[in-house]
């Protein structure tokens, strides 16, 4: 096992190769052998991106690209609605944009349903 690699997460030497991935049995971390270990851990997403891949920032304006039902209400956010002054949040449920929409109020949106204005 001269070509074995240490785990980039826990530095364990008990790793093994499974097809194109290296696997650590101690911490269950998997990484790409060609990626160079720790370099493969970085997310391809350098920030929150809209549906077209543009990076969003706090204070940007976005446009909703499809009709969205508002949970717990009978109203909908129509496609084409412009939302100003968004705030980016770190939500675990995927709703990573906090905003206020005229006529509806404060709500959270997923970045995959908006495009940068």
């Amino acid at each position: 096992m001269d070509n074995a690699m240490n785990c980039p997460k826990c530095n364990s030497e008990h790793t093994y190769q499974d097809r194109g991935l290296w696997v650590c049995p101690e911490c269950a971390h998997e990484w790409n052998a060609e990626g160079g270990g720790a370099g493969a851990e970085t997310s391809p997403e350098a920030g929150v991106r809209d549906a077209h891949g543009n990076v969003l920032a706090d204070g940007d304006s976005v446009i909703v690209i499809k009709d969205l039902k508002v949970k717990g209400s009978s109203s909908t956010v129509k496609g084409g609605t412009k939302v100003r002054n968004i705030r980016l949040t770190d939500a675990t449920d995927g709703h990573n944009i906090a905003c206020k929409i005229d006529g509806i109020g404060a709500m959270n949106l997923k970045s995959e349903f908006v495009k940068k204005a």
Side-chain angles (χ1 to χ4, degrees):
M1 298 228 352
D2 293 333
N3 60 353
M5 299 176 66
N6 286 353
C7 176
K9 192 170 186 181
C10 69
N11 204 23
S12 171
E13 60 187 28
H14 304 290
T15 59
Y16 61 92
Q17 192 170 11
D18 184 22
R19 297 186 194 141
L21 293 177
W22 283 89
V23 180
C24 176
E26 293 183 14
C27 69
H29 179 65
E30 298 178 351
W31 68 98
N32 192 348
E34 291 85 30
E41 184 66 25
T42 60
S43 175
E45 188 176 18
V48 176
R49 295 184 180 266
D50 68 358
H52 299 291
N54 299 318
V55 178
L56 298 174
D58 285 340
D60 281 349
S61 294
V62 295
I63 297 173
V64 179
I65 60 172
K66 66 179 257 183
D67 291 354
L68 302 173
K69 293 181 181 179
V70 179
K71 194 172 195 176
S73 175
S74 62
S75 61
T76 60
V77 178
K78 297 289 184 183
T81 302
K82 188 170 187 177
V83 181
R84 293 181 179 89
N85 197 17
I86 64 169
R87 291 180 318 276
L88 301 179
T89 60
D90 190 24
T92 58
D93 62 352
H95 294 85
N96 48 8
I97 297 175
C99 61
K100 282 187 180 178
I101 298 178
D102 294 337
I104 295 176
M107 66 182 305
N108 294 331
L109 298 172
K110 290 185 178 182
S111 60
E112 63 193 58
F113 297 121
V114 299
K115 67 179 181 178
K116 194 169 187 176

